Amino acid sequence: MSSPSPVQIREANAHLAAVHRRVAELEQQLEAAENTVREQAESLIRKDEQLRAATEEITEAKDKEIDYLHEKLCKSEDTIQRFQNMVKERDAIIGQLQHRCQILDNICKSRPLLDSMLSHMAEAERLGPAIGMGEPTANTSLTDGESNCSPLRISNHKDFSLSEDDMDDEELDEIRFGTTV
């Protein structure tokens, strides 16, 4: 082999220098690309950590809100149950009161008849015994202490009693059942 000529050596040296420069450029580009990739990776890691922390915070807040709403729902259901029980109890009371009201209505409807009957009985008492019937015996008198028409007997009777208004009525004070006035 023959030795290369100086031109070939220069060309080879120039080629080597160009390759060396190109390698240096590529190494710089590679280093810049590695720095960019490293920075991007670090940025992605930071963002990932931030997103993970935000996701955990959101999850905790969601779980707390779910627990709060579940507790509130349970309390609301308990309140609804109590109200439903109260409504049932009050409906039962209303049913009883409606029945009692009906009884009182029936009593009020019957009162004029009772008042009329008592008025007729008082008139009969005032008239006294019929003429020519003879003397009444103690057993047949309407004025004895056991008469159902005496004011004491009426006010203590369980089936019929005078109201406080009736007891205050001046007409009743003047009328003595079982006696003539």
Side-chain angles (χ1 to χ4, degrees):
M1 266 204 339
S2 67
S3 74
S5 69
V7 173
Q8 287 179 332
I9 293 177
R10 263 187 257 134
E11 283 179 1
N13 282 341
H15 180 68
L16 274 174
V19 168
H20 187 59
R21 279 191 308 271
R22 182 70 181 144
V23 167
E25 282 176 17
L26 290 174
E27 284 178 350
Q28 285 177 345
Q29 287 178 355
L30 178 63
E31 188 176 333
E34 286 175 348
N35 286 339
T36 302
V37 168
R38 190 177 317 112
E39 288 173 1
Q40 287 176 348
E42 290 172 358
S43 175
L44 287 174
I45 290 171
R46 282 191 305 272
K47 285 183 181 179
D48 186 49
E49 289 172 355
Q50 290 171 350
L51 290 174
R52 187 171 295 132
T55 303
E56 287 175 8
E57 286 177 19
I58 291 171
T59 302
E60 286 178 22
K62 175 197 63 121
D63 291 342
K64 285 180 182 178
E65 187 170 355
I66 287 173
D67 290 342
Y68 169 75
L69 292 174
H70 181 71
E71 184 178 326
K72 192 172 180 180
L73 176 67
C74 290
K75 286 181 181 179
S76 296
E77 287 174 348
D78 289 343
T79 302
I80 288 170
Q81 188 63 39
R82 277 188 288 124
F83 285 152
Q84 286 176 338
N85 290 338
M86 287 172 56
V87 166
K88 286 179 184 176
E89 289 172 7
R90 290 188 179 168
D91 284 345
I93 291 171
I94 288 171
Q96 292 173 356
L97 292 176
Q98 284 176 335
H99 180 69
R100 289 181 183 186
C101 183
Q102 183 64 40
I103 291 171
L104 288 174
D105 283 343
N106 291 339
I107 290 170
C108 289
K109 288 176 186 174
S110 301
R111 180 159 179 177
L113 179 64
L114 291 173
D115 288 343
S116 174
M117 185 172 63
L118 288 174
S119 171
H120 291 300
M121 289 174 64
E123 183 180 345
E125 288 288 325
R126 274 194 304 269
L127 292 176
I131 299 175
M133 293 289 293
E135 290 294 318
T137 63
N139 292 337
T140 61
S141 172
L142 294 176
T143 60
D144 64 356
E146 296 297 317
S147 171
N148 285 337
C149 294
S150 70
L152 294 176
R153 183 81 169 145
I154 290 175
S155 63
N156 292 330
H157 196 274
K158 68 176 185 173
D159 293 331
F160 178 80
S161 62
L162 296 175
S163 69
E164 289 180 15
D165 292 338
D166 292 338
M167 294 300 280
D168 292 338
D169 194 358
E170 290 180 15
E171 286 183 27
L172 286 178
D173 288 342
E174 295 174 4
I175 299 174
R176 300 282 179 231
F177 295 102
T179 63
T180 56
V181 180

